[in-house]
Amino acid sequence: MFGTSGVRGRVGEQITADLALAVGRALATSGADRVVVGRDARSSGEFLGSALEAGLRECGCDVVAVGRASTPAVARAVGTRDADAGVMLTASHNPPEDNGIKLWNPSGQAFDEAQRAEITRLVDRDSYEFRSWDSLGGYAEWDGAESTHRDALVATGRDLSGLSVVVDVGNGMGGVTVDALYELGADVSTLNAREDGRFPGRPSEPTAETCSDLCASTAASDADLGIAHDGDADRMMAVDEDGSFLEGDTLLALFGRRAATSGDRVAAPLNTSLAVDDALSSVGASVTRT
């Protein structure tokens, strides 16, 4: 049922209210007592969220509903709200006709293979622990997920006064990046900043082709860099001051070189290019592929 990044597929086909209800029931049955639930801007996220919350509550699990939020904000909220798990209803960079379900631990890490297997087992067997009318799960709304995530970004950042940034939000949930950069002192301008799950400004996945407007805007405005997000803002791509789109491996090399020191080992995906190895070797660090 689960892929490498949750359950994902076409709404009304692979992704249905029945599936969301079942995942909610399974998550509560597996032992979760409190779960944070968020969604991106896709219109289908509203009814899928309602179904998932119903499944959680009828099996005795309390729901903390954060509404529309970025995936990183939802992942952070699990620990902030002292919850046992988090659920993000999103298909990430997929087109608007898709949606999906991502599950998160209090650490901010996604459910591991064993946890996903347990949810799948319960759903496949239709095996749930329903509660009586007087022991159903509660429901509360919390509007602090995005602001809490923004504050955490600002707290670990540095003064960006004098830096000019163009952010292509992609009609998704990446407004938290705009807010954080602004709070850190950067001069920020935006593209496609209105939340709209139809993604009218550009396709949700930020690629060199879909970010042509960001490339042109960054170069024309003499900005220092451009940033682009996907629909749930868990993916970031960048454009340099000349308007050139940077590939993912280039960003991994830059981030790795900044973070690592001599003797460190850095984990990277199997398909990462040797550019990352070269960048890390320049600071005495090495790469372990996983």
Side-chain angles (χ1 to χ4, degrees):
M1 184 170 72
F2 288 90
T4 56
S5 187
V7 186
R8 192 180 298 176
R10 189 65 50 89
V11 173
E13 296 177 11
Q14 296 92 347
I15 305 299
T16 63
D18 283 345
L19 176 63
L21 178 69
V23 171
R25 289 170 169 173
L27 189 54
T29 299
S30 70
D33 293 321
R34 179 182 296 167
V35 171
V36 171
V37 180
R39 58 187 173 88
D40 68 13
R42 299 165 197 265
S43 59
S44 56
E46 187 171 356
F47 76 79
L48 291 171
S50 295
L52 188 136
E53 290 164 2
L56 289 167
R57 296 181 65 193
E58 69 175 346
C59 291
C61 181
D62 293 335
V63 169
V64 179
V66 302
R68 286 187 179 184
S70 64
T71 287
V74 172
R76 188 184 296 278
V78 182
T80 302
R81 305 310 293 173
D82 194 26
D84 301 299
V87 181
M88 180 66 182
L89 296 158
T90 180
S92 192
H93 57 274
N94 281 28
E97 57 266 29
D98 289 358
N99 214 323
I101 304 170
K102 294 181 178 180
L103 304 178
W104 298 94
N105 285 303
S107 63
Q109 295 172 297
F111 267 33
D112 61 27
E113 185 175 354
Q115 290 174 301
R116 296 193 302 267
E118 174 63 7
I119 299 299
T120 300
R121 183 186 69 83
L122 292 169
V123 171
D124 287 345
R125 295 185 179 184
D126 200 24
S127 175
Y128 313 113
E129 296 178 3
F130 297 105
R131 298 294 183 87
S132 63
W133 67 271
D134 56 352
S135 60
L136 301 174
Y139 176 86
E141 295 180 351
W142 183 55
D143 63 1
E146 290 287 83
S147 61
T148 299
H149 184 54
R150 177 204 63 209
D151 292 346
L153 295 176
V154 172
T156 57
R158 59 185 177 86
D159 184 10
L160 298 180
S161 299
L163 188 74
S164 177
V165 188
V166 182
V167 180
D168 185 349
V169 184
N171 300 119
M173 306 310 304
V176 64
T177 295
V178 178
D179 294 341
L181 289 169
Y182 178 80
E183 291 293 328
L184 288 167
D187 178 17
V188 187
S189 58
T190 61
L191 298 174
N192 305 312
R194 180 171 62 90
E195 294 175 8
D196 189 333
R198 299 169 297 178
F199 308 118
R202 62 163 171 83
S204 181
E205 184 172 9
T207 65
E209 292 73 24
T210 62
C211 290
S212 57
D213 287 348
L214 176 63
C215 294
S217 180
T218 303
S221 64
D222 291 326
D224 296 298
L225 77 154
I227 291 172
H229 282 306
D230 61 349
D232 62 333
D234 68 348
R235 175 173 298 196
M236 185 278 283
M237 302 304 293
V239 172
D240 70 14
E241 70 276 12
D242 296 323
S244 298
F245 185 86
L246 302 181
E247 297 298 332
D249 283 353
T250 303
L251 293 178
L252 288 176
L254 290 170
F255 295 151
R257 189 173 63 187
R258 169 59 70 90
T261 58
S262 180
D264 286 347
R265 288 195 306 145
V266 177
L270 289 171
N271 59 353
T272 304
S273 77
L274 291 176
V276 177
D277 301 69
D278 294 341
L280 288 168
S281 66
S282 70
V283 295
S286 61
V287 177
T288 297
R289 282 181 166 74
T290 173

